[in-house]
DNA sequence: AAAACGGGGAT
DNA sequence: ATCCCAGTTTT
């Protein structure tokens, strides 16, 4: 490492020692100096939850998960269904499926202990290049180049990397490897990410109070806010469908069913509905309802946006007698139990529109 | 290499 | 409305 890089690294670690945010899964720099070791299970769980997800959204889920399943062995012993219920609302549900797979693998093949190298971590389900490096650095003090969206933004500015993403990834990874110290690699990674989250923000970065304001090449060129450059993204199409909320006239129970295990919202709970097509349907969809009506259309059209399309769902409700109806593919759920079901947000919106 | 995969908060 | 987030897996 060059002398310049060493000074750059040190100035950020000094900033981190003074400004590190307290987080439920983080061991503070002070506590670490006092000998506290981060729990690999908690680091892993937090890092998976944080994939494409904000710190604010993760906090409560992390506390709920670690309270229910304090160790990886507890999670391995859990039922898949209970993990999906606990994950409901957090999004990217393949993460919850892979979380359980990973816990099972660690319990069965590694004696309940996470492997302590980047390469071995990378082999586990749901752990990709970012998460493997983050766990290796934070939980095991390995010299790993941790690169997430924050690091891409911060380092593209620090090094004036004008290559658009994703082509710039190798260059950024190399720069992060050069900057990362062998002493405190995990704190350094967290410092860059904290910097990106609080100061080197996508818009209006606070360069005046940045610990790297002197050495930042983009700032010195007046280009900080223009970086990183990114390839233009595709626009989202709109899809349309109908959802059917069947309510038992006697008990108020709602008819629910399980979605297929893979794909969009895989393994989650839903109310019956039509396919989601790219053209607005002008025909009466009640023929596709699970039971005979009469179905009445709700005024509120549910709008929801997924990663790659907008969805507009017309909601129908029917109050019928559950007795005598065969619950082939689903079950009747008491209305008071809806909150604990594995219902994704779009389905909670549907139920709100049907029941208000 | 490109697409699939959620949801919410900030602007 | 748009962007973006402590990305990974599948095609």
């Amino acid at each position: 490492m060059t002398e310049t890089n060493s000074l750059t690294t040190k100035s950020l670690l000094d900033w981190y020692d003074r400004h590190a945010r307290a987080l439920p899964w983080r061991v503070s720099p002070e506590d670490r100096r006092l000998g506290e070791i981060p729990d690999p299970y908690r680091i892993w769980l937090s890092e998976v939850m944080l994939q494409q997800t904000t710190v604010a959204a993760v906090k409560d889920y992390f506390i709920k998960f670690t309270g229910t399943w304090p160790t990886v062995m507890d999670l391995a012993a859990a039922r898949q269904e209970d993990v999906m219920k606990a994950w409901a609302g957090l999004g990217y549900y393949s993460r919850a499926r892979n979380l359980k797979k990973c816990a099972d693998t660690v319990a069965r093949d590694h004696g309940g202990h996470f492997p302590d190298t980047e390469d071995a971590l990378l082999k586990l389900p749901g752990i990709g290049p970012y998460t493997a490096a983050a766990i290796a650095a934070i939980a095991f003090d390995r010299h790993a180049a941790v690169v997430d969206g924050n690091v891409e933004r911060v380092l593209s500015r620090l090094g004036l990397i004008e290559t658009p993403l994703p082509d710039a990834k190798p260059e950024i990874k190399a720069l992060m490897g050069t900057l990362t110290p062998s002493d405190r690699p995990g704190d350094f990674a967290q410092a860059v990410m904290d910097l990106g989250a609080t100061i080197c923000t996508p818009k209006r970065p606070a360069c005046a109070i940045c610990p790297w304001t002197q050495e930042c090449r983009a700032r010195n060129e007046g280009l900080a806010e223009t970086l990183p450059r990114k390839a233009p993204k595709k626009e989202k199409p709109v899809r349309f469908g109908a959802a059917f909320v069947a309510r038992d006239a006697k008990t108020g129970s709602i008819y629910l069913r399980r979605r297929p295990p893979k794909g969009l919202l895989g393994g989650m709970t839903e109310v019956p509905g039509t396919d989601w097509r790219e053209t607005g349907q002008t025909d009466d969809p009640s023929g596709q309802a699970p039971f005979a009506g009469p179905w009445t259309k709700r005024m509120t059209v549910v709008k929801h946006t997924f990663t790659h399309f907008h969805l507009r769902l017309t909601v129908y409700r029917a109050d019928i007698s559950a007795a005598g109806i065969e619950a082939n593919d689903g079950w009747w759920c008491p209305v008071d139990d809806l909150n604990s079901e594995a219902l994704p947000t779009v389905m909670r919106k549907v139920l709100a529109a049907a029941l208000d």
Side-chain angles (χ1 to χ4, degrees):
Chain A
M1 182 186 303
T2 68
E3 186 61 20
T4 301
N5 279 341
S6 176
L7 292 173
T8 300
T9 292
K10 186 176 185 312
S11 66
L12 187 64
L13 277 172
D14 288 346
W15 172 82
Y16 185 71
D17 284 339
R18 283 178 281 116
H19 294 96
R21 296 182 293 169
L23 299 171
W25 49 86
R26 174 175 287 178
V27 174
S28 70
E30 314 90 89
D31 287 348
R32 171 150 286 200
R33 240 188 308 282
L34 294 174
E36 185 170 344
I37 306 298
D39 179 354
Y41 168 68
R42 293 168 64 89
I43 300 302
W44 162 72
L45 178 62
S46 68
E47 291 299 346
V48 172
M49 286 182 167
L50 286 163
Q51 291 166 5
Q52 295 292 290
T53 308
T54 56
V55 167
V58 164
K59 275 184 178 167
D60 290 347
Y61 283 89
F62 179 83
I63 291 166
K64 174 168 61 174
F65 267 70
T66 53
T68 308
W69 303 292
T71 72
V72 68
M73 297 303 281
D74 296 319
L75 190 55
R79 292 164 41 207
Q80 176 76 52
E81 166 65 12
D82 290 332
V83 176
M84 301 312 287
K85 286 180 178 177
W87 197 274
L90 197 52
Y92 283 128
Y93 299 100
S94 67
R95 291 187 296 174
R97 302 195 296 272
N98 285 326
L99 191 82
K100 178 69 170 118
K101 274 190 204 168
C102 184
D104 293 348
T105 302
V106 169
R108 184 187 344 100
D109 298 345
H110 298 87
H113 299 284
F114 280 86
D116 64 356
T117 66
E118 199 175 350
D119 284 348
L121 287 162
L122 198 48
K123 291 185 168 66
L124 293 169
I127 297 184
Y130 162 76
T131 307
I135 299 172
I138 297 170
F140 298 115
D141 276 327
R142 299 283 186 182
H143 184 278
V146 182
V147 178
D148 74 330
N150 286 306
V151 175
E152 287 176 348
R153 182 174 59 260
V154 172
L155 294 197
S156 70
R157 289 170 179 175
L158 177 71
L160 193 63
I161 295 170
E162 301 191 77
T163 309
L165 289 168
D167 288 351
K169 280 173 182 284
E171 201 176 339
I172 293 168
K173 182 102 174 174
L175 177 55
M176 188 63 178
T178 301
L179 291 171
T180 300
S182 295
D183 180 46
R184 305 180 64 191
D187 280 351
F188 180 76
Q190 292 178 93
V192 179
M193 294 189 283
D194 271 20
L195 189 67
T198 61
I199 291 177
C200 194
T201 48
K203 291 168 186 167
R204 296 174 53 84
C207 299
I209 59 170
C210 180
W212 275 350
T213 189
Q214 295 300 320
E215 44 269 83
C216 181
R217 292 183 58 194
R219 200 251 175 178
N220 291 331
E221 300 289 335
L223 294 174
E225 198 166 359
T226 74
L227 298 178
R229 296 189 183 168
K230 296 198 174 188
K233 47 192 66 173
K234 250 179 36 172
E235 64 179 90
K236 296 170 164 60
V238 184
R239 295 187 191 171
F240 302 86
F244 302 102
V245 177
R247 186 167 64 169
D248 179 39
K250 266 199 177 59
T251 67
S253 291
I254 305 296
Y255 189 77
L256 301 177
R257 66 185 186 189
R258 181 87 49 231
R259 290 179 63 87
K262 291 185 175 183
L264 186 68
L265 307 177
M268 300 298 284
T269 301
E270 67 173 2
V271 301
T274 65
D275 290 340
W276 300 341
R277 304 182 178 287
E278 304 229 349
T279 58
Q281 41 211 54
T282 54
D283 54 321
D284 178 8
S286 59
Q288 301 181 56
F291 316 118
W295 294 96
T296 57
K297 178 160 60 170
R298 308 298 293 171
M299 292 302 300
T300 306
V301 173
V302 167
K303 294 197 226 176
H304 190 76
T305 299
F306 293 97
T307 311
H308 49 296
F309 65 92
H310 302 287
L311 179 64
R312 299 169 80 92
L313 284 180
T314 308
V315 179
Y316 294 83
R317 189 178 81 192
D319 294 293
I320 59 183
S321 173
I325 288 185
E326 197 174 343
N328 304 335
D329 55 347
W331 65 94
W332 292 92
C333 176
V335 66
D336 289 342
D337 294 350
L338 287 174
N339 278 336
S340 59
E341 284 289 341
L343 287 162
T345 297
V346 63
M347 288 301 151
R348 293 180 189 267
K349 290 181 184 176
V350 166
L351 289 167
L355 302 177
D356 66 359

